[in-house]
């Protein structure tokens, strides 16, 4: 199998798992969002630690501890991904799957916005058009909801910020996830201990199946992230960008078709504007990628006989 085909298989696997993740989270009730988040963190540490031990790849920790700025970046990444996970779990289990899908639809536009505001990047005119359409979509959805779609915006900004920090850290997927989860493990264990003291812990008190599902939350977190890393290492950015919309499309389908969440005309109009912005954004990215490759071929030195 070629690396490109394997990359697409990894990418499709990751986004399919993320797309159907709301179905899994619904099975974790009656555990509350914070308990689910705590279990997701703790069991992620356990799962990835076992994986790294099996691969005999633990030496990276010593090198990492000698880089204080990297450790500070990891703490920031851990905080951002905790906010993202917690918000997503809350959204799914409060019957707002459609709004969580919106967050991941607008995430690419927020990434571009962060590029302008944080990295001082210059945008092409078409990218400004996409951002303008995205802002209009948020305005329409604000009118529809009667409030800012804060849950979607929190998901989009936290995940975009997480991606920005991770890009600067440059850590491999498994090692990065292990250290980030380890940073969060102590407060997560503390929260689970507090629930135990209050006799509010559902772990071990609902059913064997429920307990097993909470334990498997670690693997359910780590596996798609590792598959995504495998895809990112093998696919061109344009290819990865095209399939990233699979997850929110599936999440939206789960919200509307399976959980029967409402989709009134005004909300549908807001989503239509988001999709239009993404079409403009993606078309511009593909066109720019082709132009860059064409220029690279022109600038290639001509071999001499």
């Amino acid at each position: 199998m070629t690396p490109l085909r394997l990359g697409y298989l990894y990418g499709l696997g990751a986004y399919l798992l993320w797309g159907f993740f709301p179905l899994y989270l619904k099975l974790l009730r009656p555990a509350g969002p914070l308990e689910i988040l705590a279990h997701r963190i703790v069991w992620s540490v356990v799962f990835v630690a076992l994986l790294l031990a099996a691969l005999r790849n633990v030496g990276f920790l010593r090198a990492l501890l000698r880089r204080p700025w990297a450790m500070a970046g990891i703490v920031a990444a851990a905080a951002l991904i905790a906010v993202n996970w917690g918000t997503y779990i809350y959204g799914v289990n409060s019957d707002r799957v459609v709004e969580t899908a919106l967050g991941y639809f607008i995430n690419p536009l927020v990434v571009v916005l962060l590029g302008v505001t944080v990295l001082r990047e210059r945008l092409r005119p078409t990218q400004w058009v996409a951002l303008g359409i995205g802002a209009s979509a948020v305005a329409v959805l604000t009118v529809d909801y009667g409030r800012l779609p804060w849950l979607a915006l929190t998901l989009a900004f936290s995940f975009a910020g997480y991606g920005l920090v991770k890009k600067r850290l440059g850590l491999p997927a498994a090692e990065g996830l292990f250290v980030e989860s380890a940073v969060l493990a102590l407060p997560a264990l503390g929260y689970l201990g507090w629930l135990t003291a209050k006799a509010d812990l559902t772990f071990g008190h609902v059913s064997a199946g429920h307990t097993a599902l909470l334990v498997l939350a670690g693997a359910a977190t780590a596996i798609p992230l590792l598959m995504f890393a495998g895809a990112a290492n093998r696919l061109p950015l344009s290819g990865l960008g095209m399939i990233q919309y699979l997850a929110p499309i599936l999440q939206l389908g789960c919200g509307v078709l399976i959980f029967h969440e409402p989709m009134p005309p005004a909300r549908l109009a807001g989503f239509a504007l988001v999709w239009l912005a993404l079409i403009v954004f993606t078309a511009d990215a593909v066109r720019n990628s082709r132009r860059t490759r064409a220029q690279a071929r022109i600038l290639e030195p001509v071999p001499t006989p």
Side-chain angles (χ1 to χ4, degrees):
M1 184 178 294
T2 65
L4 186 66
R5 181 172 296 180
L6 185 60
Y8 276 111
L9 285 177
Y10 279 141
L12 288 171
Y15 284 114
L16 281 171
L17 289 172
W18 280 328
F20 289 115
F21 203 54
L23 301 177
Y24 180 82
L25 289 177
K26 291 280 190 181
L27 297 175
L28 301 183
R29 294 188 295 187
L34 286 178
E35 183 183 352
I36 295 171
L37 174 62
H39 281 292
R40 191 174 182 182
I41 291 167
V42 170
W43 297 112
S44 291
V45 174
V46 174
F47 179 84
V48 182
L50 292 173
L51 179 63
L52 292 174
L55 297 174
R56 298 185 178 182
N57 186 17
V58 293
F60 76 96
L61 282 172
R62 289 190 296 271
L64 192 60
L65 290 172
R66 292 194 293 267
R67 298 166 56 198
W69 284 109
M71 289 303 300
I74 288 168
V75 171
L80 286 166
I81 200 61
V83 169
N84 184 267
W85 287 354
T87 304
Y88 185 75
I89 294 166
Y90 169 77
V92 171
N93 282 346
S94 59
D95 300 320
R96 293 163 69 179
V97 176
V98 169
E99 193 174 346
T100 66
L102 174 64
Y104 291 109
F105 274 125
I106 64 176
N107 177 69
L109 302 176
V110 174
V111 170
V112 173
L113 183 62
L114 287 182
V116 175
T117 57
V118 178
L119 302 179
R120 304 298 179 186
E121 294 178 353
R122 297 184 63 182
L123 295 189
R124 296 182 293 274
T126 312
Q127 291 176 310
W128 280 114
V129 171
L131 282 177
I133 298 172
S136 301
V138 171
V140 169
L141 290 164
T142 298
V143 173
D144 172 64
Y145 283 114
R147 55 171 172 79
L148 271 175
W150 65 266
L151 193 147
L153 293 173
T154 302
L155 287 173
F157 276 92
S158 61
F159 198 67
Y162 173 74
L164 178 63
V165 174
K166 291 280 285 184
K167 184 176 179 64
R168 293 197 165 186
L169 287 173
L171 290 177
E175 289 84 344
L177 178 61
F178 173 77
V179 181
E180 290 157 18
S181 299
V183 167
L184 299 169
L186 190 59
L189 286 170
Y191 180 73
L192 292 176
W194 182 69
L195 287 180
T196 302
K198 290 181 58 184
D200 286 339
L201 189 74
T202 64
F203 184 81
H205 297 285
V206 176
S207 67
H210 180 262
T211 300
L213 286 171
L214 285 172
V215 172
L216 289 172
T221 297
I223 289 172
L225 281 171
L226 297 174
M227 295 177 75
F228 173 78
N233 290 336
R234 292 170 175 84
L235 293 181
L237 191 60
S238 58
L240 196 62
M242 291 295 289
I243 62 173
Q244 71 176 320
Y245 304 122
L246 177 61
I249 288 171
L250 291 173
Q251 291 166 5
L252 179 63
C254 287
V256 175
L257 301 177
I258 297 177
F259 303 131
H260 306 293
E261 294 184 16
M263 181 62 83
R267 194 167 306 169
L268 187 59
F271 269 85
L273 284 171
V274 171
W275 295 327
L276 176 60
L278 292 176
I279 290 169
V280 172
F281 172 77
T282 305
D284 175 77
V286 171
R287 184 169 58 250
N288 185 65
S289 177
R290 289 175 177 172
R291 186 186 302 119
T292 302
R293 288 199 301 269
Q295 290 173 348
R297 285 195 295 269
I298 292 172
L299 295 175
E300 284 178 359
V302 178
T304 56

